[in-house]
Amino acid sequence: MEKLTGACIIGQSGGPTAVINASAQGVIQTALKSDCITRVLGAAHGIKGVLEDKLYDMSQEDPAELDLLKYTPSSALGSCRLKLNNADEGQLGQIVDALLSREIGYFVYIGGNDSMDTIKKLSDYAMIRGIDIRFIGVPKTIDNDLAATDHTPGYGSAAKYISSILKEVIRDGLVYDQKNVTIVEIMGRHAGWLTAASMLARKFKGDNPVLIYLPEVAFDQDAFIEKVRTSLETTPNLVVCISEGINDGKGTFICEYASEVGTDTFGHKMLTGSGKYLENLVKERLGVKVRSVELNVCQRCSCSHLSRVDLDEAVNAGVYAVQAALAGESGKMITFIRNKSVPYELSYSTADVNIICNKEKCVPLEWIINDGSDISDAFVDYVRPLTQGHVELPTKNGIPLFAYRKA
């Protein structure tokens, strides 16, 4: 294919992770070295930056700051949750025209499901108009729910953070000499990959967390109370982990039993409070000491427990994205292919965003056992390689040193 000369825009979208900037660094540094790419621009707050012409010239950034980028959590360029309307040709046309005015040949978007939907709509629209702009998606989501890829950058570090923090929570519960229950609420709307990772905190068979509930299986409140009751007989300092999206199997999230929930700009219900609801339920039904802990935003982009595997793969995904675009690919997302788990071996490829966007990859039902209250060892074999390796963060005066833009 004939080489395309033009500028490259990189954007970030959706929720942040611990390694989304590592992917950005992979894109930026690879693009800056390319003879075909005339300049590299960063879009402020994702696609909104393209619409509003708020762009950063990455060649003007301090190289030392760019080196720090891969150790910096959250989205350095800023994020957004703007869903493009496929029926609104005016909006799509405005974006593509903005890209043409900047002589953009390459558009790399780092994000999750909705971001891949953006790649699909823009690449389809450009193709219909006969415009040669190459649109490539780089996967990002701690939820690990993107189709066509073994896993996603951000998941390994989030899984490592959750299991590490949970070990501390478990130790905290041991100080009491009376029966007590700690319910830990972990992110996960429809897919329980993050909550499943809590089993890595176990030191031995039967260790805490004794009960683990994912949204893939309907949650029965009476059965849950009975499980807690019987588990307390052998584990008086019981720890239970639940996904925020556990539901009754009939369309109602457990948190909705306590109160109505709002929706975000994509129409997704804003979930929180399942742990608190179950805390009150256990207190009312069993009369034992109980507390709930919501890990909240820290679990998605903390860099205090970075996985070296996750960090390296995130950078490589950004590098591969530029290479794929230069090779002529468009309307694709970078995918991870696991060749083997022991020893762990990975390769990179691409997949059409049409088989990825607006789909969710859930935890296989065969990995969910004990009437939906535990996870099998098959999951451990899957997740353990992704949490490996320690990362020594750059520091100043003993505190992590993060990158900052000049703007």
Side-chain angles (χ1 to χ4, degrees):
M1 178 173 286
E2 183 180 345
K3 288 187 176 181
L4 176 66
T5 299
C8 175
I9 278 189
I10 172 178
Q12 298 171 311
S13 184
T17 79
V19 299
I20 186 172
N21 290 328
S23 292
Q25 188 204 54
V27 172
I28 293 166
Q29 293 190 335
T30 305
L32 286 172
K33 295 174 185 176
S34 170
D35 294 335
C36 296
I37 295 177
T38 54
R39 40 181 198 152
V40 182
L41 302 173
H45 301 288
I47 200 68
K48 289 180 66 177
V50 178
L51 282 166
E52 299 169 4
D53 198 31
K54 294 180 179 178
L55 306 170
Y56 308 109
D57 186 343
M58 304 312 298
S59 68
Q60 299 303 307
E61 296 295 326
D62 184 341
E65 292 296 312
L66 289 181
D67 287 339
L68 283 176
L69 197 57
K70 75 174 181 178
Y71 302 108
T72 302
S74 192
S75 305
L77 295 171
S79 183
C80 71
R81 292 190 181 277
L82 176 64
K83 190 173 182 66
L84 301 184
N85 186 348
N86 205 32
D88 188 351
E89 290 194 14
Q91 183 188 48
L92 296 174
Q94 182 183 355
I95 294 171
V96 171
D97 288 343
L99 297 177
L100 289 173
S101 70
R102 290 276 187 169
E103 299 182 334
I104 304 298
Y106 305 92
F107 181 97
V108 182
Y109 213 36
I110 307 173
N113 221 311
D114 293 316
S115 303
M116 296 311 121
D117 181 67
T118 295
I119 290 291
K120 167 185 164 47
K121 288 171 179 173
L122 290 175
S123 59
D124 286 351
Y125 181 80
M127 185 180 298
I128 290 171
R129 285 184 54 182
I131 296 170
D132 191 7
I133 299 176
R134 296 169 190 176
F135 297 89
I136 296 289
V138 176
K140 172 267 355 162
T141 174
I142 61 168
D143 293 320
N144 197 40
D145 60 353
L146 286 178
T149 185
D150 180 78
H151 57 279
T152 55
Y155 173 63
S157 293
K160 185 172 184 174
Y161 174 86
I162 287 167
S163 54
S164 300
I165 295 301
L166 191 57
K167 288 180 77 73
E168 297 173 350
V169 172
I170 291 168
R171 299 300 298 178
D172 184 270
L174 292 173
V175 305
Y176 301 108
D177 63 351
Q178 64 185 105
K179 288 185 177 181
N180 66 90
V181 179
T182 300
I183 300 170
V184 182
E185 181 180 330
I186 298 169
M187 285 181 173
R189 179 181 303 274
H190 299 301
W193 296 100
L194 285 173
T195 305
S198 66
M199 73 178 299
L200 295 178
R202 292 174 179 166
K203 191 171 183 178
F204 52 83
K205 188 176 179 62
D207 191 18
N208 275 316
V210 173
L211 303 175
I212 301 174
Y213 292 94
L214 312 187
E216 284 85 350
V217 175
F219 185 86
D220 185 306
Q221 297 184 44
D222 293 330
F224 164 73
I225 290 297
E226 189 56 33
K227 288 269 190 182
V228 172
R229 187 197 312 276
T230 56
S231 297
L232 280 169
E233 295 174 3
T234 54
T235 310
N237 53 304
L238 183 67
V239 176
V240 180
C241 290
I242 64 166
S243 293
E244 63 182 358
I246 55 172
N247 59 86
D248 62 9
K250 301 175 183 177
T252 301
F253 291 105
I254 295 305
C255 62
E256 293 182 279
Y257 280 81
S259 62
E260 292 186 4
V261 298
T263 58
D264 63 17
T265 54
F266 288 100
H268 302 151
K269 290 183 178 179
M270 300 168 67
L271 306 182
T272 184
S274 294
K276 177 59 70 173
Y277 173 76
L278 294 181
E279 173 191 335
N280 292 328
L281 187 67
V282 170
K283 190 180 302 180
E284 176 188 331
R285 297 275 193 94
L286 301 181
V288 298
K289 179 179 177 65
V290 58
R291 61 179 175 176
S292 60
V293 178
E294 186 179 341
L295 296 187
N296 213 300
V297 297
C298 294
Q299 64 197 289
R300 67 183 184 178
C301 69
S302 170
C303 64
S304 59
H305 294 282
L306 269 178
S307 156
R308 167 56 66 180
V309 167
D310 190 28
L311 184 66
D312 290 346
E313 290 179 351
V315 174
N316 292 339
V319 172
Y320 197 87
V322 176
Q323 293 172 343
L326 289 170
E329 296 201 56
S330 185
K332 303 287 185 66
M333 184 189 83
I334 306 307
T335 58
F336 292 174
I337 300 172
R338 187 184 305 220
N339 301 320
K340 54 184 177 181
S341 291
V342 183
Y344 180 60
E345 185 179 289
L346 188 81
S347 58
Y348 302 87
S349 187
T350 59
D352 192 320
V353 289
N354 285 287
I355 66 171
I356 297 168
C357 62
N358 302 314
K359 296 179 176 65
E360 287 180 307
K361 179 185 71 179
C362 294
V363 176
L365 291 179
E366 60 267 26
W367 290 359
I368 305 173
I369 59 176
N370 294 351
D371 300 319
S373 67
D374 204 357
I375 313 299
S376 74
D377 289 339
F379 171 77
V380 177
D381 296 337
Y382 166 82
V383 73
R384 198 176 295 282
L386 312 183
T387 63
Q388 298 304 302
H390 175 70
V391 177
E392 192 70 36
L393 295 175
T395 61
K396 184 175 182 180
N397 298 322
I399 304 299
L401 188 62
F402 296 149
Y404 289 91
R405 296 188 310 269
K406 286 183 178 179

